[in-house]
Structures are given as C-alpha cells and as structure tokens.
Amino acid sequence: MEKEDNFGDWYIDIVEKANLSDKRYPIKGMNVWTPYGWKAMSNIDGLIRKELDATGHDEVCFPLMIPETEFKKEKEHIKGFDSEVYWVTHAGLNELDVRLVLRPTSETAMYPMFALWVRSHQDLPLKVYQIVNTFRYETKQTRAFMRVREIHFFESHTCHVSEEDAQRQIEEDVEILSKIAKKLCLPYFLSVRTDWDKFPGAYYTVGIDTVMPNGKTLQIGSIHHYRTNFSEPYGITYENENGEHKHVHQTTYGMSERLLGAIIGAHSDDSGLIMPPDVAPFQAVIIPIISKDNGPIVAEAALALAARLSAYGIRVKLDNRDARPGSKYYDWEIRGVPLRLELGGRDIENGVVTFARRDTGEKGAIELRNIEQGVELLLKIISVSLSEKAEKSQISKVEDMDSLDSIPEGKILRFGWCGCEECGHKFEDTYDLKILGTPYLPEEYSGRCIICGKATDKPTMAARTM
Ligand code: ZN
C-alpha cells in the first residue's frame, strides 16, 4: 500500500499491521488499545505530564458522568455538544430523575467544583489537568486515533484573577505545546479560529493543526480563552484584596490520541511506522546474529548489551525469538523502532555493534565500550532529522494564492481575508474548504481579501480537513 497515492487506506493498513489498535471491538469508533499502541500513547502522556507538572499544574481526576442540570448551564456550550453526547437514562431498573451525560469534555464536571474551591485571590491561579477518556458520538466515518467515539484525552483547566492573567496562561500553553511537539517531531500551525468555528462557549479558540501527506489538515489540539463565559453561569468567584467578589477568567487546553495519529501520518513510510525516539515503545531493538558455532556467546553478549542500555535509561527490546534475522528486521521495521542493533560473532570480535536507522536506512557501527552514548546520540540525530523532514513537508504543502481561478489539489491555501463573516462563509461554501483562521503569532502581511478585494493585513489559511 503506497502512502503518497492513497493516504486513507495506507493509514488503516499501517495501524493494523503495526498492531497499534484493534478495531474489531463490537462498538464502532471504540477501539481497543493493544499493548504496543498503549505503550506509545503512555509515552506521549508522559511527555505531557512532565511539561504540565513543571509549569505548576496539578493532576486531578473527575467523574465520567455529569448531571444534565450542570451540563446545560452554559447555553452556547450545550448547543455545540447537543448532537454528539451519550446519555445515561437508567440506573438498574430505575429511570433517572436527572439524566447523566458521559463527558464530551470536562468543563461542566469541573466548574461546579471550582465554584467551591475558589474563595479568594489567594486561591488563584488554579491550574489543573487530567488525562481521561471522553465520549463523543461521531457520525462521520471513524478512523483509529483520528476520529473515534471514545477519545483518550488530555485537558487542562485554569482560573485567573483577570483577562490579562488568563492571556498569559495561553502564552504558557503555546510554550508547553512547542516543547511537546518537538519531542513528537511534529510541525504545526496555530490559528485563531473563526467566530463560527470556535469552541462552544469560548471567547476565542486557538486551533493547533498539522498537515497530513495528502495535504489535509488534522487538528491535534486547541487552546481556549473563556473570559468569564463559564464562571458567570457556574458562579466561580473570588474575593479580591478590597473585599469585592469577582468572576474568574478561565482557559483550557486540550489534546488527544490524535497526536499518535498525527505521528503515524507524518513520519511513517511504505515499509511501516517510524516512531519518534521520545514516543517509541522500544527505542532500539537488539537482534542477535547467531551462527551454528557461536550461539551461547552471542546470546550472552546480547543479554549484557540489553542490560547496559536499559540501565542507562534507553527503552530496549532484545528479540531472541527463534526466527531468522530477516523476519525480525521486517517485524520491527513495520512497528517503527527507530534503531536496530545487530550483534554477531564478528561484531563481538571487533568490539562493535552494527546499527541500522529506521528513518534513513543508514548503517554503521558503534564501539561497544561507548554503546550507551552512541545509541543516545543516534536517537537524538534521528529525532532532529524526523522533525526537519516533517517541517519541510508541511511548508511544501502551503500555497500562496492571489486569485481563486484554479484551486490546487492537496494544498493548504494561504490568502488575504478581510475577516468578515460573509466573505468567510462565501469562500467555505463555494470551495468546500475550511478556513483554519488567522495566525495566532503575528505575521507580516499586506494584501487584499480574496473574496471582496478589501485591503487587509491578515492572511488566512484554508484546507480540507481529515
Ligand atoms: Zn472580504
């Protein structure tokens, strides 16, 4: 199956062959995480936890179910989620007086509690996050990690004394994102979403999009400024130094298992996955090359090598199955292990380990006495090389437009837009493309709205989405 020609089928094929997820569970869009897939996701979660903990966020865990009465307090929010939530209507044989919703996201679970937790300005900022499963009734074609009904989800929620303080949190979130994305080797665009596409209840939303090989964008996360849109209906107030009661300003930041989908899409090739070293369940796999007279010596050396690398903190797998090296190479290539280490009789004699990079196919030898540092350095090089390749691919997909006479296929279009809703809708309806929004980070631009011709200093991007 070829990645460039038919990305959709290639993706499904590769998820299955690499055994990341089992879609045979009898609920569509609720896939089973296999051990290998779950290890990769747990590594991503670990990277997120590390950054959130380092910036003063506390991890929490809220209930899965939310009473309808709380869920419906913020009017825009419920309008946005009405058609995609699951309801629990019975407990045992009894019909519930108040129906319960399975969280599609946790604003309405957390905010009644925030109203109890926040008392004075000394309780602020309140910064918490959780990594849990959320539920959304997806009606479009489901696809592992990218479009599912049970979503492995990260969400952080913060409360602040003022709009400015909340804005500083958004800036911190952008910084956190850049650190995590670097480890995932994923480039992305940050766009302030259009008013008709922002999160239900938000003051504004920053969408985080990455580009897939077919030129469609995949939203891998979002950051929202709520101002007091939720704290008012939920009564989240604090007493300031003058004894006045004020509503808190809030933000949220969310990402999901789509990060794994994006990694698969961005880095893999026709031979299988290519895992970024920071995500890979196994960063290196050791394949003993045994001939008929050196079995015990090679087996022992391979065990010792695995123990050394593991003690150094490298996630290593020793493949000592009774199978031919060639078939082992094939198995680990499909699963995207970044580095293959081969150890045979001649390697042992020469005091080296032979390596092969999954991303470039490059081969070479590392001296056994410096094997830990050698492997560590190669993993770093692979990581940088994957990032550069993905970045180049993303840039190559963006096409600057000054007229709409012919729309190129498989591209992200960049053009001037006056910002008015009428021009935006006209564009989206005519070309069946989504306006991603305007750049979150300032960008120098001067041009004309591609719809109405009015002068504008803001570009916008539009794309087909996954
Ligand atoms: Zn216009």
Side-chain angles (χ1 to χ4, degrees), residues 162-171 204 225 251 440:
S162 64
E163 183 174 338
E164 297 70 37
D165 202 38
Q167 180 55 36
R168 276 191 289 276
Q169 182 57 48
I170 306 266
E171 282 150 30
Y204 73 84
H225 195 313
T251 78
Y440 171 75

Side-chain angles (χ1 to χ4, degrees), residues 7-69:
F7 177 70
D9 290 345
W10 171 88
Y11 180 87
I12 293 165
D13 193 48
I14 217 88
V15 167
E16 188 144 329
K17 281 192 178 141
N19 195 16
L20 289 169
S21 165
D22 195 333
K23 63 176 184 202
R24 292 173 296 177
Y25 190 73
I27 302 178
K28 200 171 140 242
M30 296 191 185
N31 298 348
V32 175
W33 289 91
T34 60
Y36 194 67
W38 187 245
K39 278 191 180 84
M41 193 65 230
S42 301
N43 288 337
I44 296 172
D45 290 345
L47 297 171
I48 294 174
R49 271 198 184 92
K50 187 173 163 233
E51 295 304 330
L52 270 287
D53 292 347
T55 44
H57 293 76
D58 288 313
E59 187 166 5
V60 293
C61 191
F62 273 71
L64 162 65
M65 290 195 255
I66 304 165
E68 182 171 15
T69 41

Side-chain angles (χ1 to χ4, degrees), residues 287-290 319 323-331 340 342:
I287 316 272
I289 312 292
I290 289 169
D319 187 351
R324 300 177 68 83
S327 82
K328 294 182 183 179
Y329 295 174
Y330 177 80
D331 286 352
R340 184 175 82 222
E342 299 161 23

Side-chain angles (χ1 to χ4, degrees), residues 416-420 422-424 449-454:
W417 171 42
C418 64
C420 92
E422 200 189 328
C423 286
C449 174
I450 208 157
I451 314 294
C452 70
K454 213 185 280 173

